[in-house]
Structures are given as structure tokens and as C-alpha cells.
Amino acid sequence: MAKESFNAPKPYTLRLDDQLLDVTKQKLRLARFPEEQTDVGDDDWSQGAKVKVVKRLAEYWADGFDWRAARINADFNQFLVKVNIPGYGPQTLHYAHQLSSRPDAIPLLFVQGWPGSFLEARKIIEPLTNPSDPTTQAFHVVVPSIPGFGPGEAPTKSGLGPMLTARGFNTLMVDVLEYNQYVTQGGDWGTMITRSMALQFPDHVRACHHNFFPCGPPPWYKAPFTMGRLILSPYLYTNRELKSLENMQYYRKEQDGYLRVQSTRPQSLGFGLGDSPVGLLGWLVEKFHEWMDVANYTMPDDEILTFVMMHWMQGATPGLRYYKMAFAEEGAFSSKDCFNRYLGTPIGLSNFPNEIAVPPYDWVAWVANVQFRREHDRGGHFAAVECPELLVQDLRDWFSSEVVKRAMQG
């Protein structure tokens, strides 16, 4: 067999082995479920995923859900390409690439996070590439999978965290697709990856947009007024800032257990979640419920299961392991440190009320050249899924601005 060439994309069709689908259904039918405690209310998720919700989804997965009806191949033009990632080595990337017919279209890289996948872009690709109004900014949209998050090749050796993923994705954009200048949109891990890209490759990444920006406050000795404002936050913060601070504190107190396990012993967790579809379902459903604005968006069962399948097909462990790789990275471009320095690349921010981390603007301004901000009254961590029309409008408005036009010409 001929050696696979670098930087030579090949069309890809996502297919799952019938044996995996059959075994999955068998495992679902044999699952053992925990019992809810009698004093825990039907809508109380404080102990984790609700048994009745997971059980209903598992039964539907086993006897009703049709994976082949997910129409992923119809909605995404998918490719595989082998690239050489500086500091890591060869890695095959999966990505979707949708071209606009518009000559003025801007190349846009969309990067998701965990427990999502490239499927998060499903509702925004068409309006971004082919807006109905000819005066509206259009984009060539590129949606890579973080290696191990769904289709494509999971990393076979350690070390591939956000900093090196950033190098791989820049290679994809510049060397494979020949977009010498482009803009980015990131949420969750996508924020860390695209910010690292802008730090490492400022000549290529000309502007960024984020719907998640998990920076902390600046050191008190550098920003005494910012720290004083935090200390006096009950009196000086707006109601929205106070609510965001409450969300961050709640996350640290009640919700970050997954992060501690996945960043330390992901493989131990992988034995359970990679073998039990119900285990993985419960682990992810709780995140969808807690991090979405469930008062304004109900995730359909088919959408939940299709998202879960992206991690089930890889045996779950690669997605869990990414946290370990991220926290092991060192240096100014790593996910741990990339928010500790100022980035001059123009930044746009969209803030959604149920996002797990929306720091006050005076924190963000210390590390980011924010030129566009918009606050929304609905939406959560998965903006492209929950309220795609809001995110699409923000991307159009920000990337068509004079600031970005000048950056693209620079």
C-alpha cells in the first residue's frame, strides 16, 4: 500500500460498524441503573444525572434511535488529512469544510470543546456560508474535530493538548487549505485552542471570537482598582456581573469534579465510560443539562444521542484524556498560561447568561484586545446548538466590522 501523503485531504464518509451498533444495543438492554433517593425531587440534579432521564434515553437508544438517520454525511462535507504537527509528529485530522459561493467570503475556523464535537456547527454552517441577504458577510467554514472527539484518528501517543492542537489546526488552515489569513470562533476547549493559535500565529489568525472566556482576575498589584471592585462587588458589580460570579462559584463548588478526574486519571474513568453506553450517557447528559439554558432550549433526544455517539465511537477515553494532556502542557502558549498574557489580536465576545464562566469585563480587558461585546438574555455553554441565530448574527456583525477588515488587510 502506498504511503499516505502529508497535507493531501481525502473525502471522508462517516460510517459505524454494524457490530458496534449491535453490541451497543445489547449493552443498553443489559444495563443496571442506580436508584434515586426518596427525598430527592424529580427536578433536582444535585446528585448528578436523573435516573428517569437516562433510563428513558437508554431505552430509546436501544429500541428507537436510528443512527443512520442522523444525516451527518448529508450535512457536512468531511475530509481526513495527515499533517505533521510541530513538536508532536504525524496526526490524521478529521474536518468539515463548507465553501461559500461568495467571492468576499472570509475563512472561518470553528472549534468546539468537550463533551461536544464538530456536530456543534451543524446549525450555523449554512447561514454562515450562504446568507440570504447578499450584503451580509459570508464565510468559508472549516470545522475540525479535536483529535479523539468523534471521527478520525485518536492520538496514539501522549502530548497532544490545546497548544499542539493549535499548531495542527494552523497547518490545516494554511498548508492544507491555503488560507493564509483567517478568523476563528471558539468555545470551551475551542477558546483555548484558538487563543493559542492567535498567540503562536498572529500573522495568520487575524481576529477571534469567543463565547467562553475563562480568565481570572489580574494580580492585585497590577490592577488595584479591579481588585477593589471585586472586593466590593456586592455594591459595585451590575446584577449580570453578580450572577456570572455566582455561576463561576457554583461551578467550582458543585460541577468541576469531572475536570479533576479527567485531568488526573482519565484512563481509569475510561474503563467504565468506554464500555458502558449508559455510563457515558449519564456522564454527558448531566453536562448538557447543567451547562445549557434549559429554560429556553430543550435538547431533542436524537440530538443528545448523536452527540453521545461521537464519543462512544472512540470508546470515550480519548476525549477524557484530552484534559490530562491540556494540564500537562507547559509554556506561554499552553492552555494553563495563555490567559496570563495580553493578546493584541482583535477579539469579539458573546456572553450568554447560563455560561459557566463569564468573567467581568475589567478582568478580560487585561488579557484581551476586546473590540466587540454583546450580551444575550438566553443561551448557555453550547451557543451554536442552543441559539444558533444569535451566534451567527454576532459572527456576522463582528467579522464584518471595520476593525476586522483592517486586520485582514494588515
Side-chain angles (χ1 to χ4, degrees), residues 47 66 83 95 144 153 162 171 178 188 190 194 213 217 286 297 378 386:
Q47 293 193 11
D66 182 2
V83 300
Y95 67 98
E153 178 186 78
T171 297
E178 299 183 346
D188 197 84
T194 56
F213 202 86
E286 187 248 331
Y297 181 76
R378 60 186 173 89
E386 302 173 61

Side-chain angles (χ1 to χ4, degrees), residues 67-200:
W67 159 254
R68 295 173 184 83
R71 294 185 54 81
I72 294 170
N73 295 317
D75 290 347
F76 292 92
N77 295 322
Q78 300 171 77
F79 301 86
L80 295 179
V81 64
K82 184 178 181 181
V83 300
N84 188 45
I85 300 178
Y88 184 76
Q91 176 68 37
T92 298
L93 300 178
H94 166 269
Y95 67 98
H97 186 200
Q98 187 69 37
L99 289 167
S100 173
S101 60
R102 292 267 296 277
D104 62 341
I106 298 173
L108 167 65
L109 179 77
F110 176 99
V111 187
Q112 82 295 335
W114 185 92
S117 68
F118 80 108
L119 294 183
E120 286 187 46
R122 183 178 226 162
K123 301 173 186 176
I124 67 172
I125 286 182
E126 181 61 25
L128 288 175
T129 54
N130 295 303
S132 56
D133 184 345
T135 65
T136 298
Q137 181 63 56
F139 301 87
H140 303 307
V141 180
V142 182
V143 188
S145 292
I146 297 173
F149 289 44
E153 178 186 78
T156 57
K157 64 177 184 178
S158 61
L160 189 53
M163 179 173 67
L164 296 186
T165 303
R167 296 176 188 173
F169 287 176
N170 185 69
T171 297
L172 170 65
M173 293 297 284
V174 176
D175 297 333
V176 177
L177 301 178
E178 299 183 346
Y179 293 133
N180 193 54
Q181 292 186 325
Y182 57 93
V183 299
T184 66
Q185 150 62 28
D188 197 84
W189 283 124
T191 293
M192 284 72 160
I193 292 168
T194 56
R195 182 172 173 84
S196 184
M197 293 176 76
L199 287 166
Q200 295 183 72

Side-chain angles (χ1 to χ4, degrees), residues 218-340:
W220 68 268
Y221 55 87
K222 289 185 177 181
F225 289 107
T226 299
M227 185 55 63
R229 189 167 175 269
L230 174 60
I231 292 171
L232 297 174
S233 58
Y235 310 101
L236 300 180
Y237 274 19
T238 66
N239 289 337
R240 187 166 183 126
E241 286 176 317
L242 288 171
K243 176 60 178 172
S244 295
L245 203 63
E246 181 184 317
N247 285 354
M248 288 189 284
Q249 292 168 341
Y250 175 72
Y251 171 80
R252 294 191 184 101
K253 179 182 178 183
E254 292 286 343
Q255 293 187 333
D256 73 347
Y258 78 97
L259 185 149
R260 297 175 187 275
V261 177
Q262 292 175 198
S263 63
T264 54
R265 295 296 184 269
Q267 192 159 292
S268 296
L269 181 61
F271 282 106
L273 302 192
D275 184 62
S276 168
V278 166
L280 181 62
L281 180 62
W283 195 251
L284 301 193
V285 162
E286 187 248 331
K287 303 298 177 286
F288 295 141
H289 180 271
E290 291 292 291
W291 296 350
M292 283 188 174
D293 180 5
V294 293
N296 288 294
Y297 181 76
T298 300
M299 201 175 188
D301 291 354
D302 282 356
E303 188 173 57
I304 292 172
L305 295 176
T306 306
F307 272 50
V308 173
M309 285 291 290
M310 291 297 100
H311 292 275
W312 177 247
M313 65 188 289
Q314 290 280 9
T317 305
L320 308 176
R321 191 180 281 136
Y322 199 76
Y323 284 77
K324 179 78 170 180
M325 300 304 103
F327 280 78
E329 288 183 335
E330 298 291 344
F333 305 136
S334 69
S335 58
K336 290 187 298 185
D337 295 325
C338 70
F339 288 96
N340 293 333

